[in-house]
Amino acid sequence: MDNRLTIKEFLRVFDCVRSSGKLLDNRYVLDEISAWHDYDGYTCWLGYKDVTVTLMFHGSLKIEFDKSSNYSDFTNQCLAMITENHSVKES
């Protein structure tokens, strides 16, 4: 599995999707990535095609996918989102 993204980066992606995405059916959507959370916010999810990343309280992380190509595309989009968001905040 690709270890380029840690829980900290996934949380940045979650925040970016939540703050910049559109709310559709109780999920925030930005580009092809969706973000949602349970009622108390202790568990958050990111989704893309067949990829689901579960971010749990106390820093636990679970990544599920069927096609490794989808996971690779997802991580590339996440990295781009983090880079774009970071450069915007520095300006």
Side-chain angles (χ1 to χ4, degrees):
M1 184 185 315
D2 186 347
N3 291 330
R4 293 184 292 173
L5 294 170
T6 65
I7 192 161
K8 185 175 180 179
E9 283 85 20
F10 282 127
L11 285 169
R12 285 184 183 159
V13 171
F14 180 88
D15 183 56
C16 185
V17 173
R18 194 178 139 311
S19 61
S20 300
K22 294 184 181 187
L23 184 60
L24 301 169
D25 297 324
N26 295 321
R27 293 181 183 207
Y28 295 90
V29 179
L30 181 62
D31 297 326
E32 295 181 78
I33 298 177
S34 59
W36 65 103
H37 56 82
D38 62 359
Y39 71 95
D40 59 8
Y42 283 116
T43 305
C44 304
W45 293 270
L46 291 169
Y48 170 81
K49 297 184 181 180
D50 68 344
V51 179
T52 303
V53 175
T54 306
L55 308 161
M56 296 167 273
F57 191 62
H58 294 301
S60 299
L61 175 69
K62 181 178 179 183
I63 301 171
E64 300 171 288
F65 59 90
D66 292 326
K67 294 183 180 178
S68 58
S69 61
N70 286 342
Y71 182 68
S72 179
D73 292 344
F74 171 71
T75 57
N76 289 334
Q77 286 188 33
C78 288
L79 290 167
M81 193 177 293
I82 291 168
T83 302
E84 289 170 13
N85 194 24
H86 183 66
S87 63
V88 168
K89 287 184 179 180
E90 286 182 350
S91 302

